[in-house]
Every structure is written in C-alpha cells, then in structure tokens.
Amino acid sequence: MALCTEAVSAAAARIHDGTHLFIGAGAGCSADSGLQVFAQVSQSDVFASEGLTYDQVASSDMLARDTRRCLGFWAAMEGAYRTAEPHAGYDILRGWRAAKDSFVVTSNVDGFFCRDSDEGVAEIHGNVRTWQCGGEPSGAKFPLWKSNFCSRKLHPPPRGLSVDAAQRLIEDVPTCTECRRGILRPHIYLFGDGERFVGDERVVKAAAQKAWRQQTVDALHAGGARLVIIEIGCGLRVPSVRKRCEDVFLSAKAAAGDPSHVTFIRINPDYPGSTLVAGAEPTFAFKAGALDTLAQLQAAMPQP
C-alpha cells in the first residue's frame, strides 16, 4: 500500500538525522512474519468453538484450572516462534539501530529482536526461550494456587513435548526440575499473573531501560541530540508498549530545548491516531502494516 510520499520522506529524514532511537513493538510488528495477533488467535477454530479468548487461554487462571490446555497453547507457540523467520522489516530496524544510540521495548514473546543479540532489548512480558517454575495448583476453586514459584531460576524450554495440534492440548505436564512439584511454564507474563511472573531483569531489563531513558533525556537537555520514537503494531487490547512510547515522547519533548528534536512515528493498520496519554499525538501516523511501512521509509532515506 502506497503511503503519502511527503509524509514518508519527512519521517525518513527524521530517522536519518536522529542520534537516538527508541523502538516500541507490539504483536503487529511480527504479523508480517505469519504470526497471529491477539484477535486472530481468539478467532481460531479451537478457541472459538469453546468460547475462549486469547486472554483466557494465556492466563494464570487457565494454567491452574486447565494446565494441559494452557501449556498446549504455549508449546505450540514456542515451536511456531522458533521456526518462523522474522520479516525483512527487522533487518531494516537492525540497520537503523546500528547507526544510533538505541533501545527496544517489546511486549512480543517471539524473540525476533534477540536473534543476534539481546543487548538493548527489553522483553517486558518475557519470552518463550526461557521457562520458569509456575508453582503448584491447589486443585480447588479458590484459591487456585497452592504455592508460587520455588525460585527465580530460568530453565530452557522442555523438548519433546507431545502436543495435540488440533486441540492444542499437551500430553504430559512438565514439572520444575528444582522443586519437582511446580508446573514448568514459559517465562511469560500471563494475564492475571501478578507476582507469579519471575520477571528476570536479564529479560525485562527495567533498570537498563530506565537508565537509557535518563541518559537520552540528559542528552536532549544538553542540546545536539535528536530522538526518534518508532512505535510498531501496538494495539489497544494490550496497550502497555503503546502507552510507554507516548510517555517517552512527552518526557523527551519536555526535556528538549527544541521540540522538533523529538519525533514520534506510529505504525498501525488499525489504530494509528488513538492516544492514551493527553498531548501525545504522534508526529507521523501511518495506517499500514510494519513491513510495508518500514520498507517505504527505508527506500525514502536521504542518500549520502
């Protein structure tokens, strides 16, 4: 889909001239790699026939109540993510990042940003590459859990899991190798998880993100720095990264002597204009998919 040439050229120039780059990526960022976004998962035959939505299947409650269903879903997803190839837009982003002081925040658990290195990448909801002790279900209606995780140790994904592909049910439930009682589950923030998610700092990188943001604000305040924020595929169903990009935009704009030194680019085929934080309207909003928009921006880059 051809976007407005003038807007694409102007946005590409801002990216080219930027010294700092903040990328916020949601599920839509990987959709062009053939991976489903939340709404599509909920519409699949298996879940639709049972009246289940994505947020119900991928929840802490489901893990306790129907462990085989929840882990069957995640085992299938782990296999899909491991074998899928990131679309060419990830290579474009990698090239931009290499030329700037950059940081990535993503709610995706597919690990696409970390195929080469996880440096400067905060996977705030975890990933399928690491698993954790999930604690022991009570077997009762309330409370659902008898215990929380036994330790914060992370484990590699269990191999050889047998999954009924049609029903997405796991045959044998893996157990934690530390306590031998808790369920071994992905190190992913499940809906309703609360403190049951380990949130290992090596993965979520909360401290690193905070430090990068402060250093960038200081650089903007000192003058000379130019920040570009690119938000890709962040919808309204799970808006954590969308809101974070808006927060970064507003705090950076307040610190910059010249507001034009902070640019906010939103790429979203469904909700390019909706803002969650007052005053955080994007500088450029492209109503299109990730790969198409990134390719057009790359093609419009000023040539040396």
Side-chain angles (χ1 to χ4, degrees):
M1 180 178 116
L3 301 170
C4 173
T5 304
E6 184 178 342
V8 169
S9 296
R14 293 285 187 97
I15 296 170
H16 177 271
D17 294 341
T19 59
H20 294 66
L21 177 62
F22 183 88
I23 298 171
C29 188
S30 291
D32 291 312
S33 299
L35 300 181
Q36 294 179 320
V37 296
F38 302 140
Q40 292 171 323
V41 173
S42 298
Q43 292 166 2
S44 67
D45 292 341
V46 176
F47 301 139
S49 64
E50 298 184 19
L52 295 173
T53 59
Y54 169 81
D55 55 310
Q56 290 174 322
V57 176
S59 71
S60 184
D61 284 1
M62 181 66 76
L63 183 65
R65 290 185 174 130
D66 192 346
T67 306
R68 293 179 60 225
R69 167 74 71 204
C70 185
L71 289 186
F73 167 75
W74 283 116
M77 290 298 96
E78 191 275 330
Y81 295 158
R82 179 164 33 87
T83 56
E85 285 299 321
H87 60 72
Y90 279 93
D91 291 330
I92 293 172
L93 291 171
R94 188 180 300 111
W96 296 348
R97 289 187 63 207
K100 306 178 191 304
D101 187 339
S102 68
F103 201 88
V104 175
V105 172
T106 180
S107 56
N108 294 344
V109 297
D110 52 38
F112 281 3
F113 278 104
C114 302
R115 286 288 176 96
D116 295 326
S117 169
D118 63 0
E119 184 177 356
V121 179
E123 298 174 294
I124 62 172
H125 290 172
N127 60 54
V128 292
R129 304 186 310 279
T130 52
W131 287 45
Q132 65 166 81
C133 176
E136 190 177 0
S138 66
K141 289 185 177 181
F142 183 83
L144 290 174
W145 292 96
K146 180 179 180 180
S147 64
N148 202 343
F149 52 77
C150 68
S151 75
R152 293 186 173 274
K153 179 179 179 180
L154 298 185
H155 307 260
R159 296 302 180 203
L161 294 177
S162 179
V163 181
D164 181 329
Q167 296 299 317
R168 289 190 178 178
L169 290 172
I170 200 168
E171 298 295 334
D172 299 309
V173 176
T175 54
C176 172
T177 56
E178 297 292 303
C179 64
R180 306 288 180 180
R181 296 186 306 277
I183 298 168
L184 191 64
R185 50 158 276 192
H187 177 232
I188 290 171
Y189 189 86
L190 304 179
F191 288 90
D193 234 356
E195 296 182 354
R196 284 184 284 275
F197 174 56
V198 166
D200 191 289
E201 179 62 23
R202 293 170 295 178
V203 176
V204 301
K205 293 186 175 67
Q209 180 190 169
K210 182 178 180 180
W212 186 90
R213 287 181 61 173
Q214 186 59 55
Q215 290 166 6
T216 302
V217 164
D218 291 345
L220 287 166
H221 184 70
R226 293 174 182 266
L227 170 65
V228 179
I229 302 155
I230 306 179
E231 178 200 298
I232 311 169
C234 300
L236 299 176
R237 187 183 292 262
V238 182
S240 49
V241 176
R242 190 182 183 96
K243 185 176 184 300
R244 196 161 305 196
C245 288
E246 294 180 3
D247 287 338
V248 172
F249 178 48
L250 290 179
S251 61
K253 238 188 359 177
D258 184 344
S260 69
H261 288 181
V262 182
T263 301
F264 181 17
I265 300 170
R266 170 170 285 155
I267 301 171
N268 195 298
D270 301 312
Y271 309 104
S274 303
T275 56
L276 301 173
V277 182
E281 290 74 18
T283 315
F284 302 95
F286 297 110
K287 187 177 174 64
L291 176 56
D292 190 17
T293 308
L294 293 172
Q296 291 186 54
L297 288 167
Q298 178 65 18
M301 281 287 169
Q303 298 302 313

